Amino acid sequence: MIIAIDGPAGAGKSTIAKILAQKLGFLYIDTGAMYRALTLKVIEKGLPVDDLNGIIHLAKQTKIELLHDSCTAELKVLLDGNDVSKSIRETRVTKFVSDVAKIKEVREIMLGLQRKLGLSTNSILDGRDIGTVVFPDAQKKIFLDANFQERTLRRYKELKDSGYPVSLQEIENDLSNRDKIDSTRETAPLKKADDAILVDTTSLSIDQVVDKILNILNSPNE
Ligand code: CDP
């Protein structure tokens, strides 16, 4: 079974998907982490983000793996065998990830990886195009959203708590820039699948969102 969770940054996708995966015993696949890992490599190789051919060439020679620690439920992201779980969250990566993720050929490579992983077992995937492109036949599709101010505050708090120094203004700029690129790109733009259920998390706690989605998953009609 495949559960697709899509939505913009800061809507709570990864937090919720991780909890649901643990509760249901599903594999959690953070598709954004894959785009982030490739973006980190692009930056470290010194490639400009408009060097499409260079980035596509690099993507073809890149190995990205998601490893799960069943004890801690933490996800490890390996880039060519190296653990990059922390560095892919840095601002320098976040700033350019949408430019890398909008490249069609890059998306084709990631799509193959995501489908293979997802089909290996019961899986819950979070991203932007899971319900529309990666798994259009997913049994359950959720589109998580929240208003811009709430998403900004959540991301600000998350980064501050993890020790990444950022200002609220920087987060606002980043989210609006990524929202724009992600939802207007030609290939697999961020958008709610027609058959996805919209969950607005603006005024809900994490537990409330989890309960709401569990109800949706348990209801045969949705
Ligand atoms: O956690 P956050 O919402 O900030 O972003 P993410 O899920 O880590 O995704 C980072 C970026 O990867 C997004 O802004 C998109 O540009 C891209 N992405 C995508 O294009 N398609 C996906 N399925 C997942 C992420």
Side-chain angles (χ1 to χ4, degrees):
M1 179 175 180
I2 299 280
I3 301 174
I5 302 198
D6 289 303
K13 296 183 307 293
S14 61
T15 308
I16 303 296
K18 228 180 271 174
I19 298 174
L20 287 172
Q22 234 187 337
K23 280 190 187 280
L24 301 168
F26 276 37
L27 177 70
Y28 167 52
I29 303 172
D30 177 352
T31 64
M34 297 175 164
Y35 291 100
R36 284 175 177 272
L38 177 62
T39 305
L40 177 66
K41 187 163 172 179
V42 168
I43 293 169
E44 289 186 339
K45 291 278 176 199
L47 283 182
V49 284
D50 56 1
D51 179 1
L52 294 196
N53 289 335
I55 294 176
I56 294 164
H57 184 68
L58 196 68
K60 287 181 182 158
Q61 302 169 327
T62 298
K63 189 169 180 200
I64 295 169
E65 296 161 281
L66 299 183
L67 295 186
H68 294 80
D69 184 327
S70 51
C71 299
T72 59
E74 281 308 311
L75 185 75
K76 240 190 207 167
V77 184
L78 299 189
L79 173 64
D80 298 323
N82 299 312
D83 185 353
V84 294
S85 315
K86 287 222 156 59
S87 38
I88 58 169
R89 307 286 159 198
E90 290 170 10
T91 317
R92 65 189 175 121
V93 174
T94 307
K95 205 166 154 191
F96 295 116
V97 63
S98 290
D99 291 303
V100 172
K102 73 180 181 197
I103 304 170
K104 184 167 143 262
E105 291 82 352
V106 163
R107 301 202 70 81
E108 277 163 11
I109 294 172
M110 299 298 176
L111 181 82
L113 279 175
Q114 291 159 10
R115 283 198 180 143
K116 192 167 161 214
L117 264 179
L119 291 174
S120 65
T121 182
N122 286 327
S123 305
I124 178 159
L125 295 93
D126 81 345
R128 304 291 189 285
D129 59 340
I130 310 302
T132 50
V133 174
V134 184
F135 284 110
D137 296 329
Q139 286 84 348
K140 298 284 180 182
K141 298 182 187 177
I142 307 287
F143 192 87
L144 276 193
D145 207 351
N147 73 26
F148 185 74
Q149 195 192 9
E150 179 63 23
R151 294 197 283 119
T152 307
L153 286 173
R154 283 182 193 165
R155 187 46 57 94
Y156 176 67
K157 197 171 170 300
E158 188 185 335
L159 288 172
K160 230 176 130 204
D161 290 350
S162 325
Y164 293 108
V166 276
S167 71
L168 206 51
Q169 185 64 52
E170 275 176 292
I171 305 274
E172 276 177 12
N173 294 345
D174 165 55
L175 287 198
S176 60
N177 180 43
R178 282 199 292 140
D179 280 357
K180 189 163 163 225
I181 301 176
D182 292 347
S183 50
T184 58
R185 68 180 173 222
E186 252 173 60
T187 313
L190 162 68
K191 101 176 197 283
K192 180 186 160 303
D194 291 339
D195 54 348
I197 295 167
L198 174 71
V199 176
D200 185 335
T201 70
T202 305
S203 54
L204 300 179
S205 67
I206 292 172
D207 286 348
Q208 286 172 321
V209 178
V210 170
D211 283 348
K212 203 166 179 162
I213 296 181
L214 284 175
N215 277 334
I216 294 172
L217 298 180
N218 287 327
S219 109
N221 300 325
E222 289 186 297

